[in-house]
Amino acid sequence: MQRHFVLKKHRRTKYRCKCGSAPVTAPGPLRLPGGGRYSLDFAIEVADAKWHQHSPLERQVRVMRTEGLEVTSSTLWEQAERLARVLHPAYEALREHVVQSPLVHADETPWRMLRKGSKKHWFWSICRNDAVYYRIDRSRGHGVIVELLKGFDGVLVADGYRAYDTASRVLGTTMDVAIC
């Protein structure tokens, strides 16, 4: 089945009561905050293609052009960024879900940024049996671990990096760090 793009124009009727109360407008389609002409479904499709199917935005632009939609990569990036803002509360709720487990695994690895001259960042992860929370930070210090594990009280499985022990003392919890 080939995908196609459709421009839909929605006419929203205003309803007025003869009693003089304020007019009521029919609800419009679901959109991302900030307006724009693209639907929520379009933003989800762009993000899915980029991060799930590993299709760069420029490639998506070329594919969409062959399918009849003229769009720029900056427009696609804007759609993905707006979607990320909407999903941010779910991202934070995922961290809360992970730290509720009695057993959490944690690790960090270097992450090189693409900008010339930029410093190395760190890609952090904390996980439990059914979820993983990721974060990129400029620091490898225990402060990041403290933020990631705020509210955690259980067994943390990590490598021998001393910052995990320091974080457990700063958190002041009964968290045990199992080094493996």
Side-chain angles (χ1 to χ4, degrees):
M1 182 169 95
Q2 187 172 355
R3 169 176 75 171
H4 64 279
F5 297 98
V6 177
L7 176 62
K8 290 184 180 177
K9 293 190 178 191
H10 296 271
R11 299 178 99 197
R12 297 171 56 200
T13 305
K14 276 190 179 179
Y15 297 96
R16 300 178 198 277
C17 178
K18 292 180 182 179
C19 66
S21 62
V24 176
T25 305
L30 218 53
R31 297 217 180 264
L32 290 171
R37 66 187 298 186
Y38 299 99
S39 69
L40 178 61
D41 291 339
F42 181 76
I44 292 170
E45 187 169 328
V46 168
D48 178 66
K50 177 158 178 53
W51 286 288
H52 183 238
Q53 300 170 25
H54 308 287
S55 179
L57 295 179
E58 285 299 332
R59 184 178 306 148
Q60 290 186 53
V61 166
R62 288 192 305 271
V63 169
M64 289 177 185
R65 188 176 304 127
T66 65
E67 295 172 342
L69 180 65
E70 289 291 329
V71 67
T72 65
S73 60
S74 62
T75 299
L76 298 184
W77 179 253
E78 180 182 310
Q79 294 301 300
E81 193 270 333
R82 285 182 179 178
L83 183 62
R85 286 185 190 179
V86 169
L87 294 176
H88 190 76
Y91 170 73
E92 289 303 323
L94 180 61
R95 189 199 70 78
E96 291 294 327
H97 175 70
V98 169
V99 299
Q100 295 306 312
S101 174
L103 175 66
V104 170
H105 297 263
D107 197 19
E108 81 292 332
T109 190
W111 185 270
R112 298 232 180 253
M113 301 305 279
L114 295 177
R115 284 174 286 174
K116 188 175 183 176
S118 69
K119 293 184 177 180
K120 182 173 26 178
H121 286 60
W122 294 91
F123 187 79
W124 292 87
S125 66
I126 57 172
C127 66
R128 59 185 275 169
N129 65 335
D130 62 349
V132 181
Y133 176 85
Y134 297 104
R135 177 173 162 186
I136 294 177
D137 201 283
R138 293 177 184 217
S139 173
R140 190 181 183 213
H142 72 274
V144 178
I145 303 165
V146 168
E147 288 178 30
L148 289 174
L149 297 175
K150 190 174 11 175
F152 176 65
D153 190 18
V155 176
L156 175 69
V157 177
D159 57 17
Y161 181 42
R162 290 183 179 257
Y164 291 105
D165 287 325
T166 306
S168 76
R169 286 193 301 276
V170 169
L171 285 168
T173 65
T174 57
M175 176 176 77
D176 294 317
V177 180
I179 298 172
C180 56

